[in-house]
Amino acid sequence: IEHLGIGPAVVVGHSLGGVITCALSAARPDLVAAAVLVDPAPFVVSEDVRLALKALLGRIASADGEVTRAAIVEGMFMATDDAERKVSLAKAMASIPHEIAAPAIGGLLSFDGPAALAAVQRPIASIGSGSSVNDARAMKEINPRILIGQTLGAGHFNQLEVPDQVNAMIEHFLRISL
């Protein structure tokens, strides 16, 4: 954004990209006009989730890491999600080498999501899915200015499953926030 001189920009991120979008918004508000988090990875990592992530990291690095990643992706979908898309995304995500997948998941253990979310001073919205890992109320308590939405009938890849819902929420957020 800075290099191209296009800021401040509206930044949008999905999943881990939502966490990155939030961190950028907190660290460089001069570059961000508004932030949209599309079904972001967890911001509040409880001790139970922390332990599960640590165990998951071990399994991802093991010989059956692809099987573990495929199972993780499987849990991101709802029965109403497109079956072909589900197979395609699960295959793509399971094929990511553990040298990349493990640090991405491990980053959630060291990321202070609540602090980053609380530091965002720009307009911010979170669009959860039917399988969201974030508690909307907890996010609102951390940053009272966040606008929360949730799609119907779609799992983690809601921007692909119900783009009309996601796009309408983003458009409305921008209309009322900028």
Side-chain angles (χ1 to χ4, degrees):
I1 295 169
E2 185 174 46
H3 175 75
L4 295 175
I6 58 172
V10 174
V11 291
V12 180
H14 170 254
S15 194
L16 284 172
V19 172
I20 293 167
T21 296
C22 179
L24 172 65
S25 301
R28 293 295 308 270
D30 57 311
L31 300 179
V32 177
V36 179
L37 320 175
V38 180
D39 206 34
F43 274 90
V44 179
V45 180
S46 67
E47 192 54 35
D48 290 344
V49 171
R50 185 174 303 288
L51 291 173
L53 285 172
K54 285 182 181 179
L56 192 61
L57 285 173
R59 290 197 317 264
I60 286 174
S62 71
D64 71 339
E66 283 187 33
V67 173
T68 299
R69 287 194 302 279
I72 294 166
V73 174
E74 177 79 24
M76 296 178 176
F77 290 91
M78 295 178 67
T80 54
D81 289 338
D82 181 87
E84 288 180 27
R85 182 177 294 122
K86 179 179 174 179
V87 169
S88 174
L89 287 169
K91 182 177 178 182
M93 291 182 73
S95 70
I96 297 169
H98 78 271
E99 298 86 13
I100 296 170
I105 293 171
L108 292 173
L109 294 171
S110 60
F111 177 66
D112 188 348
L117 187 58
V120 175
Q121 299 297 310
R122 299 291 190 215
I124 183 169
S126 179
I127 303 171
S129 71
S131 59
S132 182
V133 295
N134 286 293
D135 180 296
R137 184 177 301 183
M139 292 179 81
K140 191 82 171 160
E141 287 174 4
I142 293 167
N143 188 330
R145 78 182 60 66
I146 193 169
L147 298 179
I148 304 287
Q150 183 176 8
T151 56
L152 297 174
H156 183 59
F157 298 92
N158 54 355
Q159 79 281 14
L160 300 176
E161 295 293 333
V162 289
D164 53 332
Q165 293 179 41
V166 173
N167 292 340
M169 283 188 250
I170 292 172
E171 289 169 4
H172 183 72
F173 167 67
L174 295 176
R175 264 194 314 276
I176 65 173
S177 299
L178 298 180

